[in-house]
């Protein structure tokens, strides 16, 4: 029993997004999100989905939710094109994930569109099932060399970096640059990429160029032509300084955000006072205009 006056912390119950088990459902019992237009069926994306399904089957099951107005029927939340391909192929049933919420927007908000690390893991899963690189390449309509590079994506990448970048859209060549670095520098580079919201290969190359010599994997330091050692040292110092500034801003962000909310609320309250508004209108019309903009933003929030 907790002592008098103490607060007992109880974790909030975790709301499941999906039922524990998948279900095989007749496609005829599923209401589509939208009608697939003929032009969409001619698109490259549709062709890749169709080729993938016909070559290796459905990797990501469609997501449905029971229709509260029609017993035995379901509303589709994700997988419109996949189901359209199955119907075209004469398939009558499909294995689906059963969502617990009847809102496509909420579901899509939780799902990150597939990133390169997620593709890597899907390719590994397909390989475990005995699917060859050639077959996966045909399914995704890409060169087999791309599949091999994605399969080996995380070789030389430390697990912490893979976790940091798991849902980010990072180019394949950026991972090749990260492999030059020792694990601790890889982590710093990944954190800088996330902090700056920049994932291009050129940005990663700039981080690599500014890396101190002792933080490279042996034999992997790039040769930068036309740049002196002094310039490289200066770049390293500037990058380290920028990294420290970004961390300092992150630490202050919560406090600054709270101050901003309180200040905006105070301004909104001021403008509820007719005498204050009248005074500002007569003597400080420019300030009143800015205060009104802040109040509008506060109300919209």
């Amino acid at each position: 029993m907790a002592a008098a006056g103490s607060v007992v912390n109880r974790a909030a119950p975790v709301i499941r997004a999906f039922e524990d088990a998948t279900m095989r459902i007749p496609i005829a019992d599923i209401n589509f999100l939208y009608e697939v237009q003929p032009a969409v069926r001619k698109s490259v994306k549709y062709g890749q989905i169709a080729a993938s399904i016909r070559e290796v089957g459905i990797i990501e099951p469609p997501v449905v939710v029971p229709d509260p107005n029609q017993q035995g029927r379901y509303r589709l939340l994700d997988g419109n094109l996949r189901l359209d391909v199955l119907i075209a192929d004469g398939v009558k049933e499909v294995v689906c994930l059963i969502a617990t919420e009847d809102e496509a927007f909420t579901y899509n908000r939780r799902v990150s569109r597939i990133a390169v690390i997620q593709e890597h893991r899907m390719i590994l899963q397909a390989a475990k099932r005995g699917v060859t690189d050639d077959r996966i390449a045909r399914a995704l309509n890409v060169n087999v060399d791309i599949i091999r590079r994605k399969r080996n994506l995380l070789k030389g990448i430390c697990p912490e970096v893979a976790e940091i970048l798991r849902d980010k859209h990072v180019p394949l060549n950026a991972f090749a640059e990260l492999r030059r670095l020792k694990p601790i520098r890889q982590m710093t580079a990944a954190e800088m990429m996330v902090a700056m919201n920049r994932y291009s290969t050129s940005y990663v190359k700039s981080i690599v160029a500014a890396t101190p010599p002792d933080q490279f994997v042996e034999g992997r330091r790039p040769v930068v032509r036309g740049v002196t050692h002094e310039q490289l040292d200066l770049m390293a110092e500037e990058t380290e300084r920028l990294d420290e500034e970004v961390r300092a801003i992150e630490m202050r962000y919560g406090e600054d955000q709270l101050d901003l909310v309180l200040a905006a609320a105070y301004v909104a309250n001021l403008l509820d006072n007719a005498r204050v508004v009248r005074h500002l209108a007569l003597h400080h019309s420019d300030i009143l205009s800015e205060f009104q903009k802040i109040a509008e933003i506060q109300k919209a929030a």
Side-chain angles (χ1 to χ4, degrees):
M1 181 179 292
S6 65
V7 177
V8 178
N9 291 323
R10 292 187 175 88
V14 177
I15 300 174
R16 295 183 304 168
F18 305 103
E19 298 293 345
D20 291 331
T22 56
M23 181 182 297
R24 184 174 294 276
I25 299 173
I27 297 178
D29 291 341
I30 300 174
N31 297 326
F32 276 49
L33 279 167
Y34 55 87
E35 182 180 353
V36 179
Q37 300 299 316
V40 174
R41 294 190 178 102
K42 297 178 182 178
S43 68
V44 173
K45 177 182 177 181
Y46 188 93
Q48 288 179 332
I49 292 173
S52 174
I53 290 174
R54 289 162 187 161
E55 193 69 35
V56 298
I58 287 186
I59 297 175
E60 294 182 89
V63 179
V64 299
V65 67
D67 190 328
N69 301 321
Q70 296 177 284
Q71 188 174 3
R73 293 193 63 81
Y74 298 84
R75 292 178 182 172
L76 184 64
L77 300 184
D78 181 73
N80 214 76
L81 297 185
R82 278 166 274 164
L83 286 194
D84 191 74
V85 171
L86 293 178
I87 290 174
D89 290 347
V91 177
K92 303 298 183 184
E93 294 182 332
V94 62
V95 174
C96 297
L97 284 173
I98 311 300
T100 57
E101 286 189 60
D102 183 13
E103 189 174 344
F105 173 77
T106 302
Y107 169 75
N108 288 328
R109 186 183 62 203
R110 287 184 179 140
V111 177
S112 298
R113 294 302 102 188
I114 189 164
V116 67
I117 288 181
Q118 294 168 330
E119 283 188 297
H120 159 78
R121 288 168 178 163
M122 288 170 58
I123 290 170
L124 290 184
Q125 288 177 358
K128 286 180 180 178
R129 291 162 49 191
V131 182
T132 64
D133 289 346
D134 288 337
R135 194 175 171 193
I136 297 172
R138 288 197 303 272
L140 298 178
N141 196 26
V142 296
N143 188 290
V144 67
D145 182 58
I146 297 294
I147 297 301
R148 288 172 183 150
R149 290 179 65 191
K150 289 183 177 179
R151 174 163 50 80
N152 298 322
L153 182 76
L154 297 182
K155 286 188 176 180
I157 302 295
C158 70
E160 292 82 0
V161 169
E163 180 63 20
I164 292 170
L165 301 177
R166 69 186 186 281
D167 58 352
K168 309 301 181 186
H169 295 278
V170 183
L172 286 174
N173 289 336
F175 284 95
E177 293 297 322
L178 288 174
R179 289 190 197 98
R180 298 179 183 275
L181 309 176
K182 291 182 178 179
I184 190 67
R185 182 60 177 173
Q186 285 186 15
M187 291 173 60
T188 300
E191 289 169 353
M192 291 175 64
M193 292 161 68
V194 173
M196 302 300 291
N197 195 29
R198 295 182 62 185
Y199 304 99
S200 65
T201 302
S202 59
Y203 181 65
V204 178
K205 282 184 175 180
S206 71
I207 296 175
V208 171
T211 296
D214 61 344
Q215 295 187 35
F216 283 98
V217 174
E218 187 175 354
R220 299 300 304 274
R221 187 181 185 187
V223 177
V224 183
R225 294 180 175 84
V227 181
T228 65
H229 290 296
E230 291 76 12
Q231 290 172 324
L232 286 174
D233 291 340
L234 180 61
M235 289 173 63
E237 291 175 7
E238 288 296 317
T239 301
E240 186 176 352
R241 182 182 60 79
L242 177 61
D243 189 31
E244 291 175 356
E245 290 179 356
V246 169
R247 288 200 179 103
I249 291 171
E250 287 179 336
M251 291 177 65
R252 295 197 307 267
Y253 177 79
E255 184 178 341
D256 291 345
Q257 183 72 7
L258 178 59
D259 290 343
L260 180 61
V261 170
L262 292 175
Y266 178 74
V267 169
N269 287 336
L270 275 181
L271 296 185
D272 287 337
N273 188 316
R275 293 177 63 186
V276 171
V277 173
R278 190 181 310 113
H279 175 80
L280 291 175
L282 289 173
H283 305 288
H284 305 283
S285 59
D286 54 339
I287 295 178
L288 176 61
S289 176
E290 294 303 317
F291 277 6
Q292 287 172 333
K293 291 177 184 178
I294 293 173
E296 289 173 4
I297 295 173
Q298 172 70 12
K299 290 176 182 178

